[in-house]
Amino acid sequence: MEPWPPVDDDRLKAELGAALWDAGGVPEEYVAAARAAFTWRTVDAELPLAELIFDSASGAEPAGLTRSAGSVRTLSFRGGPVVVEIEVTDAGIVGQLSPAGGGRVSARTTSGTYEEAPVNEVGLFSLGAPPSGPIQLRADAGGHTVVTDWVCLR
């Protein structure tokens, strides 16, 4: 058995070159995720960003408040005049947009949109259970369009 790393620099260079040559191609799902990220690189310039202003999963609560043992997570986003509030459970996402007045909400991952839903006249909508990893919501309602910060809901 020969020592590693090889004592001879030329032999080390040859072994490292062979290892890099045999690495193979980049998996297609990585290429697709990279293209999706590159496509959305200017979204902040094109659409107003609704920033996360409240997340029940973080931050200390005032003393004396009681919380149920349920697994509901509440998040609020604000972008200009638009507020997006959602509750996340194992069953899915329910939310409300303000100002109300109908519209659409879509949810996307780094690989693209995974679900869309209508928003009713009072601003309510529901989506299925979110996949793991970062999620971004896009809301078109009341003549306004915003996208939320990327958040991990699971």
Side-chain angles (χ1 to χ4, degrees):
M1 181 177 254
E2 294 184 32
W4 178 254
V7 183
D8 180 18
D9 286 344
D10 291 331
R11 185 168 180 152
L12 176 61
K13 183 178 173 184
E15 283 191 38
L16 291 174
L20 290 173
W21 185 260
D22 294 337
V26 176
E28 186 56 39
E29 61 267 18
Y30 294 156
V31 173
R35 285 188 177 131
F38 185 74
T39 301
W40 280 82
R41 73 193 183 286
T42 59
V43 72
D44 293 343
E46 298 168 12
L47 295 174
L49 181 67
E51 296 179 1
L52 182 65
I53 57 173
F54 175 77
D55 185 350
S56 65
S58 64
E61 294 183 12
L65 289 181
T66 330
R67 215 168 165 186
S68 71
S71 60
V72 175
R73 182 175 174 192
T74 305
L75 297 98
S76 296
F77 302 88
R78 177 180 290 280
V82 179
V83 176
V84 181
E85 294 180 320
I86 61 172
E87 283 188 359
V88 183
T89 65
D90 292 336
I93 299 171
V94 294
Q96 185 169 19
L97 295 179
S98 176
R104 290 201 71 68
V105 169
S106 61
R108 60 180 277 115
T109 64
T110 55
S111 58
T113 300
Y114 76 89
E115 187 168 359
E116 289 188 44
V119 177
N120 70 14
E121 328 49 73
V122 293
L124 300 175
F125 64 91
S126 65
L127 301 164
S132 58
I135 304 291
Q136 183 181 52
L137 300 176
R138 176 186 169 130
D140 298 301
H144 302 282
T145 300
V146 296
V147 294
T148 66
D149 281 331
W150 288 93
V151 292
C152 290
L153 300 177
R154 291 182 170 240

